[in-house]
Amino acid sequence: MNIQRAVLALLLMAGLLAAAATTTPAADSGVAPWPDTAEKIRKGQIDVGKTYGMKPDQRFHRIHESTLGLDCATCHAERIPPSARPFTLPPAVDASSASPGPVDRRSCQGCHIAGPGRDVYGSRAP
Amino acid sequence: MRISRRGLLKGTGGGVLASFLSGGPRTLVAAAQEKGGSAGTEDFVPTTCWIGKQDCGMLARRINGRVVSFTGHPDNPRNLGKLCPKGVAQIMAIYDPNRVQTPLIRTNEKGKSGTWRPASWDEALTLVGQKIKEVRARDKRLLVWQKGRSKAGAFYDNAFVKASGATALGHGAYCSDAGYRAAEYTIGPHGVLHPDFRHTKYLLSWGWNITNAGGNKFCWLTWPRQLVQARKRGLKVVVIDPRLRGAGPFADEWLPIRPGTDLALALAFANVLIEKGFVDRGYLVKYSNSPYLVKEDGSFLRVDGKEQVWDPASGSAKAVGAPGVEPALEGEYTVAGAKVKTAYQLFKEHVARSTPEWAAGVCGVPAGDIRRIATELGENALIGHTVVLDGVTLPHRPVSIMAYHMAQQEHGFQAIRAMIMVFMLVGAMEAVGGVRIDFTWKPHANYDKLDQIKIKDPPYNIYLGDSKYFPINSKLPGIVAKVMLNPAKYGVDYVPEVLILHMVNPLGSFSSQPDFIESYKKYKFVAAIDPWLCETADYFADVILPAATIEKYEGPLGASDQYVDATTLRVPPMKPLFQSRAEIDIYMDLCEKAGILYGKDGYLDEVNRALKLKDAYKLDLNTKPAVREIFDRWAKSEGIADGVAHFEKNGVRVKGRFSAKAFYGFAQSPPFNGKTHRLYGESLLRYQQEMKAKGSEKIYWQDYTPFPTWRPPTMEASPPQYDFILITYKLIEFKQSRSSFIPLLAELAPEQRLDINPKAARQRGIKDGDMVWVESHNALTGETRKVQVRAVLSEGIRPDTVGMPHHYGMWTHPAAKGQGPTPNALFFTGEGYVSNTADQSFLVKVRVFKA
Amino acid sequence: MPRYGMVIDLDRCQGCRACVEACKVENNTPQAIFWMYVFRFEEGEFPDTRISFLPRPCMHCDNAPCVKVCPTGARYKRDDGLVATDVDKCIGCRYCAAACPYGVNYFNWKEPKANHYLDWSAPATAQALQPVTGGAVPPYKNPDLERKWGKEQRKIAGGGHRQGVIEKCTFCVQRVETGLKPACVTACPVSALEFGDLDDSAGAASRRLRADRSFRLREEFGTEPRVHYIGAARAGTGAREIEQPRGATA
């Protein structure tokens, strides 16, 4: 794993955690605090579409990008200039790439261990 | 208890395998049938792997008679139920539609890519047979048989070569033969150097590509298994290699040695051992020529034809072996007015200058590390220690070395001699836990032959045997190529005309490729026996005879793991695919067409001899047998009542563990059968003197010295801009040039690369993944060659070294195209790039620059 | 009920990838898809360089993120520990691939045509070989991969290998349910892999686990993998991947 990418991911995660601690979403989204948003999505009160998938117009991105306002670089470890979106996404989170391997999922942990996102991962090991 | 689906084989010939049952497991097919499905029949046929060197035992799983996969045969000691990735992936190669499907006859001119027409076997065999017959009638020397891998030495290297009188060339001089010659000459058996793994504690992994390739004698996987077991018992591994990757995680220490300087490092080890007193004096005096008295002219002092030692008790020289004498190991004495020294005294003086500080400057390894490793070696050798095995008291010296392919360098013969001498100093050769050469103690005929060579005057044969160029001679096809291009220069008065290629691809696997492309143009007729259309056949074959892969009987094949004696056969689990045939069938038919199959000294007669068939089982000299029948007779002649059926059922015949008495040279009566180990190479000096007297140039005789002597390799005379040394190595994914077209394997290692140290790359503006030119230079001729390849940065290689694997550079198979170049297009052969024993050197100075 | 798991001895692993090949042959996986994968690492700076290897099957986690996020229940955890993918239920949303910290999920973007071991860039059926061999080689469709398995009777072996479906290591369910070990375990030339019921104290896998300290990958995610690693030859955090395979070309 590229050292630069790991550092960037760590910085972003630190930023995310700081944001989550104050329950303040990304500055440019203008939406309600995340725990509320997450609850509303779970209750079906926010329309994120019915199609499960990773394409830009499908649920995953509608939840994380459109609704929660997460920047591409949060998950895709390289910053992509706006002009290149959505055409190129590095293989950082594409598990079917030629170079399979443990991709940094630490950016997910911020919300998906013990909320506010649904529990995907377990509790942190001591 | 290992559970296995072989449980249901009772009815299908499971035989011995059934004894591995614990009951319960069901085969998948049977399970499906039980549920009312009809998945068909399933059975397992023992056979052996075709793709590698060592014929690992396999089980071919068949569904409805179709072979669908291979697993290792659990009873074969060599691989104990396992296969390397090539063996596993071989299933894809078997069914390759790009295999040669019918005999092919060339329709265009040679020296370029071939066009072919399919022919019947009869037409093709008749054509080749007639050529063999015709050329033999004129001059047998005009017929050359070149093998790459022979999987039935008795039938090919032995019977066919003898019956036809062909000049046989092998691949050993590309493999490790410089080491074989050194071991044969110095100690006696036929091999290079490997550890007594079960008892060793300290190992010098000297150029051993542990995780990818073979060590002494064995290909993968036998040695890695023994290594991991020894590691669990606390084995320490010191890796001596310009490149670390081969050793994988098994390097406890890494001495990143500059390529081609191994001889110097070995001398430095000897220097430290002597300085610190780690010398097994008893062994040296009793079993080597260390106490022999040497005159000032370098020859042994002889009285009445007998070598002499110094008897301190009587203050006089006595004949070697004189009773009641305890010879002096060291010292300078006067005998009949002449000054003499013991060979060991000369050795001490010889290595006195080879200090770790000196070696550090040559090898690029810190002096402190050299001194420390040598000291550890000496301490771990436990000189004086004995142990009892099988009731025999033997010296216990748990220090060892694995050295094999790295012998193929300009100093290879003497470098291996130097390594042997390091272990002779501590008395570890053939000791328990020490250094092995062969599987059992079996001195080779070369022990005497290489000491008694009569250097002839020209004319010489095509590999310059017994010549003033290469008196000790590993028969390098590259030298043959040089000779064919300029026979007059070497005093050779003929050029061979007919070439039979047996499972070999010189344009892919031999160095140097350009020399083979040029010299092969001289052959008037070339026949290739091969399952695939290799690059050499593409350019030069007149006829291609498609051989089967695993679909044939072949052997007998050894199945030892160094400790257990076993034999196996290749048994066909399916009929030959397409129109391919077993090579033994092909040779019998060829010999028939050539008129050399039947009768006295014909092929069948030679097979009888080669297989050592007892009278009751000998082949009738006038009947062409089925191949299976030959093996049936052989097996019965070996005392196997079931004959070949034993192997068809059980896959292998395990004869049992080698006893200590058979295993260790020390355990013989007398030890080593009385063959003295040659610390001092008197005959080497004699050869040098004779070569000089016959007008041979220095490049040929300079390394015929009684002790290994350091000089910078010839390649170092290349101009300074050639500032890297290129090395090459094997990958676990591939075997020679016959596997990079198998997609299952190729996707793991898709492309050629040049390993380069990041610092060295930065200095040249080269980034990871850049395409670069690699240009080699011949220090003697000034010729340069270059290839383009992708650079890959690695901290595991010296900054003055670049590495490029073998296996790539092929072009005939569609799946092999575009993988990158072969390093054999960069290496040179001939003077400066071969050893004094006509062994290929896989080292050359190169420069690297961005493409 | 067995508690299946795998124990991988890094002090034995040669990085040879025989396990990778054995898995491919057993499970007939397409090009660029490696249910079992072996990382090769290099770390440090010359001459203080270190090489290490890391076999990586699916972890078959007890707390599997992929199971949690699968919208259709195609991905599920069996009683014996295997994390399975029901090929008939997978809709190819790739949530499992996004959630998995280990990157073991492979998605078939296109119809896979290359490197099923049975074919040579020919149409992806065993029948292709028939005309070439003049019918000498009977057609073969691996019967082991087509059946339904487990008490749930779902199609979870073989992975389907068709466009729009995820696939990953199954711990060779077709072998485990018939008393065999996964193909990778059986194939390893130096017995670096062991598999079995971790609760069977006499079994080889649990014996290895008890004999040595062990670790699991990415323990901080709380996934509770069933794959344990023993041995000291572990890559450090600065390790670089080397010798990676090629991506899909077909």
Side-chain angles (χ1 to χ4, degrees):
Chain A
M1 163 73 39
N2 183 297
I3 293 177
Q4 289 168 313
R5 285 188 181 187
V7 167
L8 192 59
L10 269 169
L11 286 173
L12 291 164
M13 182 181 83
L16 269 179
L17 283 173
T22 59
T23 68
T24 310
D28 59 348
S29 73
V31 299
W34 283 358
D36 292 344
T37 311
E39 193 55 37
K40 287 195 171 121
I41 292 171
R42 282 193 279 271
K43 284 197 174 126
Q45 291 164 357
I46 296 180
D47 177 25
V48 287
K50 294 212 187 338
T51 313
Y52 285 85
M54 302 296 291
K55 294 204 175 114
D57 58 335
Q58 293 174 338
R59 269 182 79 99
F60 187 94
H61 280 90
R62 287 185 61 174
I63 291 170
H64 293 89
E65 194 193 5
S66 324
T67 309
L68 294 174
L70 286 177
D71 196 67
C72 299
T74 309
C75 302
H76 301 279
E78 271 173 356
R79 245 206 119 67
I80 307 147
S83 58
R85 307 173 199 174
F87 306 114
T88 43
L89 294 172
V93 291
D94 182 355
S96 57
S97 73
S99 178
V103 183
D104 207 319
R105 294 291 192 276
R106 279 175 285 184
S107 46
C108 316
Q109 283 182 307
C111 295
H112 287 288
I113 288 186
R118 58 187 289 199
D119 280 356
V120 177
Y121 303 108
S123 55
R124 292 170 209 277
Chain B
M1 169 62 94
R2 179 176 43 227
I3 22 182
S4 141
R5 65 176 78 180
R6 296 184 307 284
L8 275 197
L9 282 186
K10 284 186 198 139
T12 52
V16 165
L17 300 180
S19 66
F20 279 84
L21 285 191
S22 57
R26 310 172 300 165
T27 65
L28 298 163
V29 170
Q33 283 171 329
E34 238 175 76
K35 286 198 151 83
S38 55
T41 59
E42 175 192 40
D43 67 348
F44 294 85
V45 178
T47 184
T48 61
C49 185
W50 170 86
I51 202 166
K53 160 179 175 173
Q54 63 174 37
D55 311 300
C56 290
M58 297 201 304
L59 283 172
R61 180 184 184 214
R62 300 196 302 198
I63 307 277
N64 294 331
R66 175 183 170 146
V67 177
V68 300
S69 69
F70 298 111
T71 49
H73 197 294
D75 299 331
N76 190 309
R78 190 161 281 187
N79 61 307
L80 291 171
K82 309 297 186 179
L83 293 175
C84 76
K86 301 180 284 293
V88 176
Q90 190 182 190
I91 184 66
M92 197 171 183
I94 307 298
Y95 295 119
D96 181 2
N98 297 287
R99 278 175 61 174
V100 181
Q101 302 192 10
T102 70
L104 297 175
I105 295 182
R106 191 180 203 93
T107 55
N108 66 337
E109 64 189 31
K110 297 200 286 192
K112 56 192 222 200
S113 238
T115 55
W116 310 90
R117 65 170 175 85
S120 68
W121 269 102
D122 191 60
E123 183 189 354
L125 287 167
T126 303
L127 179 54
V128 179
Q130 274 171 358
K131 291 288 180 192
I132 294 174
K133 187 173 190 175
E134 190 271 325
V135 81
R136 285 184 76 245
R138 281 189 288 122
D139 183 351
K140 291 198 182 97
R141 299 176 310 164
L142 303 176
L143 176 64
V144 173
W145 183 80
Q146 170 73 69
K147 74 165 176 185
R149 174 57 53 194
S150 161
K151 292 176 175 292
F155 292 88
Y156 315 141
D157 315 45
N158 202 322
F160 177 73
V161 166
K162 288 211 170 94
S164 65
T167 301
L169 296 174
H171 71 262
Y174 294 105
C175 172
S176 54
D177 272 17
Y180 275 78
R181 302 293 88 80
E184 289 159 359
Y185 181 85
T186 310
I187 309 289
H190 183 68
V192 193
L193 305 173
H194 68 266
D196 178 10
F197 265 116
R198 287 189 182 166
H199 303 282
T200 198
K201 282 288 171 55
Y202 194 92
L203 171 65
L204 301 184
S205 170
W206 205 312
W208 177 28
N209 191 353
I210 300 174
T211 62
N212 287 280
N216 185 25
K217 300 283 210 178
F218 289 135
C219 192
W220 235 67
L221 47 90
T222 315
W223 292 137
R225 281 190 77 92
Q226 294 181 23
L227 174 73
V228 298
Q229 280 155 6
R231 298 254 311 154
K232 297 280 179 190
R233 290 192 303 264
L235 171 73
K236 171 163 176 173
V237 179
V238 175
V239 171
I240 302 171
D241 200 311
R243 187 180 160 260
L244 179 63
R245 167 64 180 87
F250 303 109
D252 294 309
E253 301 235 19
W254 178 32
L255 300 185
I257 188 172
R258 182 174 167 83
T261 64
D262 309 89
L263 190 157
L265 183 63
L267 291 180
F269 284 158
N271 169 292
V272 174
L273 289 172
I274 292 174
E275 183 205 299
K276 303 216 171 203
F278 290 115
V279 178
D280 189 339
R281 307 175 68 89
Y283 156 78
L284 287 171
V285 165
K286 279 209 281 285
Y287 303 116
S288 78
N289 63 11
S290 299
Y292 288 23
L293 298 173
V294 182
K295 299 188 296 196
E296 279 182 300
D297 70 357
S299 65
F300 287 137
L301 174 69
R302 286 184 175 83
V303 173
D304 296 328
K306 295 222 66 183
E307 293 88 357
Q308 305 289 302
V309 296
W310 186 260
D311 175 25
S314 65
S316 62
K318 290 276 196 304
V320 168
V325 174
E326 283 182 30
L329 180 60
E330 295 149 293
E332 182 179 328
Y333 309 98
T334 310
V335 176
K339 279 224 299 250
V340 295
K341 293 181 182 176
T342 67
Y344 180 73
Q345 179 66 35
L346 287 171
F347 184 65
K348 271 179 54 173
E349 292 167 11
H350 181 74
V351 301
R353 297 167 304 135
S354 312
T355 61
E357 287 67 29
W358 164 81
V362 174
C363 308
V365 170
D369 287 347
I370 298 174
R371 182 167 277 107
R372 183 172 51 78
I373 298 298
T375 307
E376 283 176 12
L377 190 78
E379 286 164 354
N380 280 278
L382 303 182
I383 295 172
H385 214 242
T386 59
V387 74
V388 178
L389 286 186
D390 295 343
V392 184
T393 302
L394 295 162
H396 180 221
R397 305 283 184 275
V399 294
S400 57
I401 177 173
M402 180 76 87
Y404 196 59
H405 293 302
M406 53 69 60
Q408 299 315 91
Q409 53 171 284
E410 203 191 0
H411 292 337
F413 173 76
Q414 292 285 19
I416 298 290
R417 259 181 63 68
M419 293 167 198
I420 294 174
M421 287 150 99
V422 166
F423 287 89
M424 285 173 74
L425 283 175
V426 297
M429 297 304 300
E430 296 285 326
V432 176
V435 185
R436 316 281 316 143
I437 298 171
D438 199 345
F439 301 141
T440 53
W441 174 257
K442 204 169 50 186
H444 190 266
N446 274 352
Y447 171 82
D448 290 318
K449 277 197 191 151
L450 298 183
D451 189 50
Q452 296 161 9
I453 296 170
K454 297 273 175 286
I455 299 178
K456 301 197 173 88
D457 287 318
Y460 297 130
N461 65 26
I462 50 168
Y463 55 85
L464 305 180
D466 297 325
S467 71
K468 65 184 179 188
Y469 304 106
F470 303 104
I472 299 182
N473 193 312
S474 294
K475 299 191 189 178
L476 179 64
I479 290 295
V480 174
K482 290 291 195 198
V483 166
M484 285 174 67
L485 291 170
N486 193 348
K489 173 180 171 187
Y490 294 100
V492 178
D493 61 5
Y494 69 100
V495 174
E497 295 184 6
V498 176
L499 174 66
I500 298 175
L501 297 169
H502 178 107
M503 195 168 171
V504 68
N505 186 13
L507 261 57
S509 294
F510 289 179
S511 272
S512 70
Q513 193 185 60
D515 286 291
F516 283 95
I517 291 177
E518 283 315 300
S519 62
Y520 273 24
K521 291 176 181 164
K522 309 274 182 201
Y523 279 111
K524 299 207 169 125
F525 185 84
V526 177
I529 304 174
D530 203 334
W532 277 272
L533 203 165
C534 70
E535 286 65 24
T536 310
D538 184 41
Y539 269 30
F540 294 110
D542 293 282
V543 180
I544 303 180
L545 303 175
T549 60
I550 44 129
E551 325 106 89
K552 63 195 177 196
Y553 287 95
E554 207 171 27
L557 306 162
S560 173
D561 68 338
Q562 110 157 286
Y563 293 109
V564 174
D565 192 7
T567 322
T568 188
L569 288 183
R570 175 162 295 108
V571 168
M574 56 194 273
K575 289 210 190 30
L577 214 50
F578 316 118
Q579 288 185 41
S580 70
R581 303 177 73 206
E583 281 95 329
I584 297 174
D585 271 322
I586 296 174
Y587 280 112
M588 283 202 287
D589 284 352
L590 271 182
C591 287
E592 189 175 24
K593 300 279 187 188
I596 54 173
L597 177 65
Y598 303 112
K600 184 172 183 305
D601 295 335
Y603 183 78
L604 297 173
D605 199 16
E606 295 293 353
V607 169
N608 282 337
R609 275 194 281 275
L611 292 179
K612 303 193 178 63
L613 297 181
K614 299 199 174 72
D615 285 339
Y617 302 103
K618 281 191 157 81
L619 299 169
D620 174 61
L621 296 190
N622 296 300
T623 313
K624 188 164 67 174
V627 178
R628 182 180 185 278
E629 191 202 326
I630 305 178
F631 285 107
D632 195 43
R633 286 167 177 265
W634 165 80
K636 286 172 175 151
S637 180
E638 292 284 307
I640 303 171
D642 275 358
V644 73
H646 170 91
F647 294 94
E648 289 164 341
K649 272 206 302 280
N650 306 310
V652 64
R653 180 203 191 194
V654 177
K655 294 187 205 146
R657 189 177 63 81
F658 292 117
S659 68
K661 270 200 138 59
F663 198 72
Y664 295 103
F666 272 104
Q668 310 308 307
S669 308
F672 310 109
N673 307 117
K675 294 201 185 300
T676 309
H677 298 165
R678 296 188 183 111
L679 187 86
Y680 185 83
E682 187 208 22
S683 45
L684 300 176
L685 179 62
R686 186 176 76 239
Y687 300 146
Q688 186 186 76
Q689 290 157 349
E690 286 175 21
M691 292 162 84
K692 282 181 189 170
K694 288 190 187 294
S696 192
E697 284 157 41
K698 185 173 178 201
I699 188 93
Y700 304 106
W701 53 251
Q702 63 184 334
D703 295 319
Y704 278 94
T705 51
F707 292 132
T709 307
W710 172 253
R711 62 168 179 87
T714 306
M715 66 174 173
E716 296 288 11
S718 283
Q721 68 263 33
Y722 296 93
D723 48 2
F724 284 109
I725 298 177
L726 173 69
I727 62 171
T728 186
Y729 54 90
K730 308 283 178 44
L731 302 175
I732 187 61
E733 288 84 2
F734 299 133
K735 183 61 181 175
Q736 296 299 334
S737 66
R738 58 179 180 266
S739 45
S740 73
F741 54 74
I742 301 172
L744 262 186
L745 294 165
E747 68 168 333
L748 294 177
E751 193 186 11
Q752 181 58 288
R753 64 174 185 252
L754 184 80
D755 307 305
I756 182 169
N757 181 289
K759 199 161 75 171
R762 255 192 317 272
Q763 282 164 1
R764 292 158 179 81
I766 295 169
K767 293 192 313 296
D768 192 46
D770 280 349
M771 292 303 286
V772 297
W773 284 107
V774 183
E775 183 181 85
S776 64
H777 178 270
N778 185 317
L780 291 186
T781 67
E783 184 193 344
T784 62
R785 296 172 175 173
K786 69 179 207 245
V787 302
Q788 204 179 103
V789 66
R790 191 174 305 281
V792 169
L793 302 192
S794 169
E795 294 283 359
I797 194 165
R798 290 177 57 91
D800 60 8
T801 305
V802 287
M804 195 188 297
H806 178 29
H807 316 299
Y808 296 109
M810 306 307 133
W811 65 80
T812 56
H813 194 295
K817 290 193 210 285
Q819 291 176 330
T822 171
N824 290 319
L826 289 173
F827 294 118
F828 296 99
T829 192
E831 291 78 0
Y833 296 88
V834 299
S835 71
N836 60 327
T837 55
D839 279 282
Q840 180 64 36
S841 168
F842 285 101
L843 298 172
V844 69
K845 296 304 288 287
V846 299
R847 66 185 183 110
V848 179
F849 52 98
K850 268 191 76 142
Chain C
M1 178 54 57
R3 189 167 69 92
Y4 286 128
M6 190 180 282
V7 183
I8 299 179
D9 187 346
L10 297 180
D11 285 344
R12 287 175 174 262
C13 179
Q14 310 270 318
C16 73
R17 295 174 168 163
C19 53
V20 175
E21 295 296 274
C23 171
K24 299 215 79 165
V25 171
E26 172 69 33
N27 296 298
N28 200 18
T29 49
Q31 186 191 58
I33 290 185
F34 303 101
W35 292 6
M36 170 57 107
Y37 181 63
V38 179
F39 288 97
R40 293 174 179 169
F41 293 118
E42 181 189 276
E43 60 193 300
E45 210 177 287
F46 179 84
D48 301 309
T49 321
R50 257 194 0 112
I51 304 287
S52 57
F53 306 119
L54 187 79
R56 186 237 64 209
C58 167
M59 298 291 129
H60 295 271
C61 306
D62 280 340
N63 202 16
C66 61
V67 171
K68 291 187 190 171
V69 303
C70 177
T72 66
R75 178 65 57 88
Y76 66 101
K77 176 88 172 169
R78 293 169 24 137
D79 289 342
D80 60 1
L82 270 54
V83 173
T85 316
D86 185 336
V87 147
D88 290 335
K89 287 237 162 77
C90 174
I91 58 168
C93 76
R94 294 165 52 220
Y95 270 31
C96 53
C100 175
Y102 307 104
V104 307
N105 293 282
Y106 293 86
F107 183 65
N108 285 297
W109 295 97
K110 299 186 280 191
E111 189 63 30
K113 284 187 178 357
N115 282 14
H116 292 242
Y117 84 89
L118 295 166
D119 68 87
W120 276 84
S121 308
T125 66
Q127 265 82 7
L129 205 49
Q130 278 243 283
V132 175
T133 65
V137 180
Y140 174 63
K141 237 175 137 50
N142 190 339
D144 308 338
L145 306 178
E146 297 301 313
R147 291 171 43 199
K148 296 181 174 174
W149 295 98
K151 66 181 195 322
E152 320 83 37
Q153 284 295 288
R154 300 173 77 171
K155 269 182 81 174
I156 54 175
H161 308 317
R162 55 173 196 267
Q163 185 178 19
V165 162
I166 277 272
E167 54 179 85
K168 70 162 185 71
C169 156
T170 64
F171 268 174
C172 283
V173 60
Q174 72 277 13
R175 292 173 62 92
V176 170
E177 287 205 16
T178 48
L180 301 172
K181 295 186 189 176
C184 54
V185 174
T186 308
C188 176
V190 287
S191 311
L193 310 177
E194 195 48 86
F195 177 90
D197 180 359
L198 296 178
D199 286 338
D200 174 11
S201 56
S206 78
R207 273 190 287 120
R208 280 211 187 177
L209 202 48
R210 279 179 284 124
D212 208 335
R213 283 197 299 204
S214 65
F215 68 93
R216 293 177 294 182
L217 290 178
R218 304 261 147 129
E219 306 231 35
E220 68 274 18
F221 280 84
T223 48
E224 302 296 326
R226 285 284 182 100
V227 177
H228 302 255
Y229 294 87
I230 61 176
R234 177 182 184 179
T237 46
R240 307 170 283 277
E241 272 186 69
I242 59 173
E243 297 171 13
Q244 292 134 305
R246 149 160 297 154
T249 58

